[in-house]
Amino acid sequence: MNLKQTLDQKISLVLSDISGTSDCQALVNHSKSTQFGDYQANGVMALAKRLKQNPRELAEKVSAKLDLNEFAEKVEIAGPGFINIFISNEFISQQVNALDKTQLVVKTQNAQTIVIDYSSPNLAKEMHVGHLRGTIIGDAIARTFEWMGHKLIRQNHFGDWGTQFGMLITHMLEQDDATTELSNLEAFYRASKQRFDNDPDFATRARGNVVKLQSGDEQCLQLWKSFIDVSIQHCQEIYQKLNITLTETDVVPESFYNNKLAGILESLDKQGLLTQSDGARCVFLDAFKNKEGEPLPTIVQKSDGGYLYATTDLAGIEYRCQTLHANRVLYVVDARQGLHFQQVFTVAKLAGFADKECSLEHLSYGTMMGKDGKPFKTRSGDTIKLRDLLGEGIERAYSQVEEKNPDLSEKEKQKIANVVGISAIKYADLAKNRNSDYIFDWDSMLSFEGNTAPYMLYAYARIHSIFRRAELDIDADYRIIVESPEEKELALKLLQFTEVVDALLEECYPNQLCLYLYELAGIFMSFYEACPVLKSEGQVKQSRLGLCQLTALTLKQGLTLLGIETLKKM
Ligand code: ARG
């Protein structure tokens, strides 16, 4: 348990003891300002109300019974019954010195199997900015679960099946040299789409080929397969550029479930969950109604026998729960698919594809907007290709480096531009609450001020430069003895890293980790101003170097969990 949880548990126990009820909550949180201590328990007021007692008197009783000597130098009661806890310097010193520098957080004691579905683009189109958020956010979440010792299984649920592939393979079939054509995927999509939209005969042939493909025609299947292979290569290239951990072994695409769909229908049918509606087969659930109050179906088979997106997702849930044995299945997908997931989750539970204990979670995210407040597009209104976007980020970072540090070698400039450009794009996204729409803006993401990648990377590099300048070893052992208020604030913040990581695993909001790192960097700056490091001596110097070291390690670990590379020199 982290410090916050420990305090919460201890105080909750005292509350239960006093009230004789078991479900008391201490509601421990960080204090808003140091005058109210470091942690504050807010749960006394609610309990007092329930017991019809005076909250302040109840707080006195709690405080009299509470033994926090191990952690706190004092416990105060404030206002109507807040309990303010002032953590002692001794406790903080002892805890920071005891940290395992290679891990910094306490690994989980009960590892779960977590399946995470993210990125999952549609292969019938080039990967575009719409897939950026899910890819970046999902990857940060995946990295964090893994780091904490959970069994983490990535699933890249590529859309590789469906009617659009008829169009693409027909175009392939009718080219003399389909391989060259495919080397420029984007041009290939455009040409196929153009023919599909403007040539009715082509469209008819394309529809015919969908039927052939789905009934297992060898030639169609082969063309389809070669198309998919090229597309996957294309995605992998982007993942690599973006420092995303997805590999080809994580690809479990829609087509993987083809031979499981009939079984899904059969199972729903046996359980009496299917209703015919206009020839289609649907599941109607009371919980889902449209605006007019009419029942909303989850359609699982079209009248022509074809299956749907929802059918594949039901098969996916069964596979993830029954074969992969997931405790939690996380879907990092666009908010617009919210209703879809609510429906399939409900059907999956009802039909027993997912066990009751298995937690199915849609981690949704908002739309990426341009500065004009409309979904992010190029000036001519086209969707922006990821490849171009990443290239532009690196270019912009390069001009910055050139301007700030013209004396660096070309190789160093390139390296820094690469890290800063990619990090800026990723961090800007991660630092926002994923539920909100987010405005893509080069200037703010590349700024050295505020909660940005350049600021964070600079803060990290700066600590390295302290050690470099003094020719000191940043990896040596330093003993921390916390004395001044600035030292205390920094050391306590470092201890709270584990609280933030624990919270990330529960709610899956990487922006909380970004905020923590940003605050940490700020607290470090105040510490560095108030407490001379290199000019101090003896134990004090050792201790302050230790705080610098631990800050660097924490920044690096936090950024690594977010998928952000760091630089020792900038
Ligand atoms: N391919 C879908 C899209 O591009 C996202 C898939 C998300 N995962 C899932 N299991 N439905 O919108």
Side-chain angles (χ1 to χ4, degrees):
M1 269 198 292
N2 59 50
L3 182 53
K4 186 172 141 193
Q5 289 163 337
T6 309
L7 294 171
D8 197 281
Q9 194 196 45
K10 287 205 173 277
I11 302 173
S12 297
L13 276 176
V14 173
L15 292 180
S16 299
D17 217 27
I18 290 180
S19 66
T21 53
S22 61
D23 57 341
C24 295
Q25 288 188 319
L27 304 177
V28 168
N29 222 323
H30 297 161
S31 302
K32 295 267 176 301
S33 126
T34 45
Q35 76 187 99
F36 303 124
D38 303 304
Y39 289 86
Q40 186 170 67
N42 302 336
V44 170
M45 278 82 77
L47 181 65
K49 206 165 166 194
R50 222 166 74 189
L51 301 176
K52 302 201 168 59
Q53 289 189 14
N54 176 315
R56 185 105 197 170
E57 277 165 23
L58 183 62
E60 300 284 357
K61 271 191 232 161
V62 175
S63 148
K65 263 201 152 198
L66 195 60
D67 178 8
L68 295 180
N69 288 340
E70 186 190 335
F71 315 94
E73 61 180 8
K74 72 179 171 189
V75 175
E76 274 180 4
I77 293 162
F82 296 108
I83 299 179
N84 295 339
I85 302 152
F86 297 76
I87 304 296
S88 71
N89 286 354
E90 292 68 41
F91 177 77
I92 295 173
S93 304
Q94 176 242 320
Q95 292 286 306
V96 284
N97 285 318
L99 281 176
D100 171 356
K101 287 190 198 137
T102 61
Q103 179 74 28
L104 297 175
V105 286
V106 186
K107 279 203 183 197
T108 176
Q109 299 298 306
N110 44 44
Q112 289 192 317
T113 299
I114 314 286
V115 171
I116 181 166
D117 176 330
Y118 70 104
S119 194
S120 305
N122 215 327
L123 295 188
K125 296 190 191 123
E126 186 165 5
M127 221 173 149
H128 58 87
V129 295
H131 294 110
L132 192 63
R133 295 200 78 187
T135 305
I136 294 173
I137 294 169
D139 206 51
I141 296 171
R143 285 168 185 263
T144 311
F145 273 99
E146 223 160 29
W147 176 251
M148 292 301 281
H150 290 283
K151 179 170 178 206
L152 191 278
I153 305 174
R154 294 172 177 77
Q155 299 274 285
N156 200 344
H157 188 86
F158 277 131
D160 68 340
W161 200 249
T163 50
Q164 302 106 309
F165 291 93
M167 169 183 99
L168 296 166
I169 59 177
T170 307
H171 187 57
M172 270 174 97
L173 204 55
E174 298 172 6
Q175 294 304 308
D176 299 333
D177 187 0
T179 342
T180 341
E181 281 277 316
L182 278 184
S183 65
N184 186 345
L185 265 181
E186 191 198 331
F188 185 84
Y189 302 123
R190 251 191 272 127
S192 332
K193 181 89 168 77
Q194 174 124 27
R195 288 182 73 192
F196 188 83
D197 291 342
N198 299 316
D199 176 353
D201 287 342
F202 178 87
T204 309
R205 291 198 297 282
R207 284 193 200 96
N209 280 330
V210 174
V211 178
K212 275 167 98 182
L213 176 69
Q214 301 197 329
S215 55
D217 175 89
E218 256 327 302
Q219 191 191 17
C220 284
L221 270 177
Q222 210 171 354
L223 285 169
W224 169 76
K225 177 113 192 18
S226 60
F227 175 82
I228 297 298
D229 285 346
V230 176
S231 307
I232 292 183
Q233 280 319 316
H234 167 81
C235 291
Q236 281 306 137
E237 263 170 51
I238 297 213
Y239 294 149
Q240 220 154 41
K241 275 208 184 109
L242 261 177
N243 189 17
I244 294 295
T245 55
L246 284 166
T247 67
E248 276 184 51
T249 54
D250 303 318
V251 176
V252 185
E254 290 187 3
S255 63
F256 172 81
Y257 298 102
N258 284 353
N259 62 10
K260 301 175 173 65
L261 302 178
I264 293 291
L265 262 290
E266 207 176 295
S267 174
L268 290 170
D269 197 22
K270 263 203 207 124
Q271 303 187 61
L273 290 168
L274 287 183
T275 309
Q276 293 269 356
S277 172
D278 295 330
R281 301 174 89 189
C282 315
V283 183
F284 281 98
L285 297 172
D286 289 342
F288 298 98
K289 301 239 159 63
N290 67 12
K291 278 191 225 102
E292 285 72 44
E294 292 152 7
L296 213 54
T298 308
I299 309 174
V300 286
Q301 191 170 31
K302 291 187 282 189
S303 53
D304 67 3
Y307 299 109
L308 292 105
Y309 186 52
T311 329
T312 308
D313 264 327
L314 289 173
I317 292 175
E318 183 174 54
Y319 173 72
R320 292 162 184 190
C321 294
Q322 312 303 335
T323 306
L324 301 179
H325 302 293
N327 299 106
R328 289 171 78 179
V329 189
L330 312 175
Y331 292 82
V332 187
V333 186
D334 190 324
R336 284 169 292 196
Q337 298 193 28
L339 177 63
H340 163 77
F341 283 111
Q342 277 180 36
Q343 288 184 308
V344 293
F345 291 170
T346 313
V347 175
K349 289 261 161 163
L350 197 65
F353 301 137
D355 303 328
K356 288 215 169 43
E357 309 77 48
C358 177
S359 166
L360 305 171
E361 301 166 44
H362 176 204
L363 309 180
S364 73
Y365 57 86
T367 309
M368 195 147 126
M369 305 293 223
K371 260 176 146 172
D372 55 3
K374 301 201 188 105
F376 194 45
K377 295 259 161 79
T378 60
R379 273 203 203 112
S380 57
D382 290 333
T383 47
I384 294 173
K385 305 288 170 283
L386 270 189
R387 209 198 296 237
D388 299 345
L389 188 85
L390 304 185
E392 183 169 353
I394 295 171
E395 242 170 69
R396 283 175 183 259
Y398 186 88
S399 355
Q400 256 186 358
V401 183
E402 187 108 281
E403 196 188 299
K404 286 198 158 61
N405 265 331
D407 300 335
L408 290 175
S409 75
E410 184 55 27
K411 208 172 143 214
E412 276 178 305
K413 282 185 205 163
Q414 296 275 0
K415 168 81 189 153
I416 295 174
N418 230 302
V419 172
V420 174
I422 298 293
S423 305
I425 296 173
K426 291 179 81 173
Y427 193 88
D429 202 334
L430 290 164
K432 311 277 179 331
N433 182 316
R434 60 176 164 77
N435 286 326
S436 342
D437 290 343
Y438 135 69
I439 295 176
F440 190 93
D441 174 18
W442 287 117
D443 296 332
S444 66
M445 70 177 72
L446 282 162
S447 162
F448 274 81
E449 270 149 54
N451 191 4
T452 65
Y455 175 83
M456 297 307 307
L457 293 176
Y458 177 69
Y460 176 73
R462 186 169 165 200
I463 303 179
H464 271 273
S465 82
I466 297 171
F467 284 83
R468 246 193 333 265
R469 259 187 299 143
E471 295 180 0
L472 285 163
D473 181 6
I474 196 165
D475 297 318
D477 276 329
Y478 298 102
R479 205 180 151 64
I480 296 171
I481 304 167
V482 170
E483 272 163 11
S484 73
E486 291 83 7
E487 291 170 341
K488 174 181 175 179
E489 193 184 5
L490 177 58
L492 184 61
K493 191 75 181 174
L494 289 165
L495 276 184
Q496 289 167 342
F497 181 48
T498 195
E499 293 177 8
V500 177
V501 175
D502 287 342
L504 205 168
L505 297 194
E506 255 174 61
E507 308 275 341
C508 303
Y509 283 97
N511 62 308
Q512 294 175 346
L513 176 54
C514 295
L515 182 63
Y516 166 82
L517 294 173
Y518 177 57
E519 287 172 354
L520 173 63
I523 291 173
F524 176 80
M525 301 294 180
S526 320
F527 152 83
Y528 195 66
E529 264 164 45
C531 307
V533 176
L534 297 178
K535 290 206 181 85
S536 58
E537 277 168 20
Q539 261 190 0
V540 174
K541 181 171 179 179
Q542 291 297 307
S543 169
R544 289 179 181 171
L545 284 169
L547 285 167
C548 293
Q549 172 193 53
L550 203 55
T551 305
L553 286 171
T554 306
L555 287 175
K556 183 175 172 86
Q557 187 54 50
L559 291 169
T560 305
L561 293 179
L562 294 168
I564 305 280
E565 253 187 280
T566 49
L567 296 160
K568 290 183 182 167
K569 218 173 167 176
M570 240 173 112

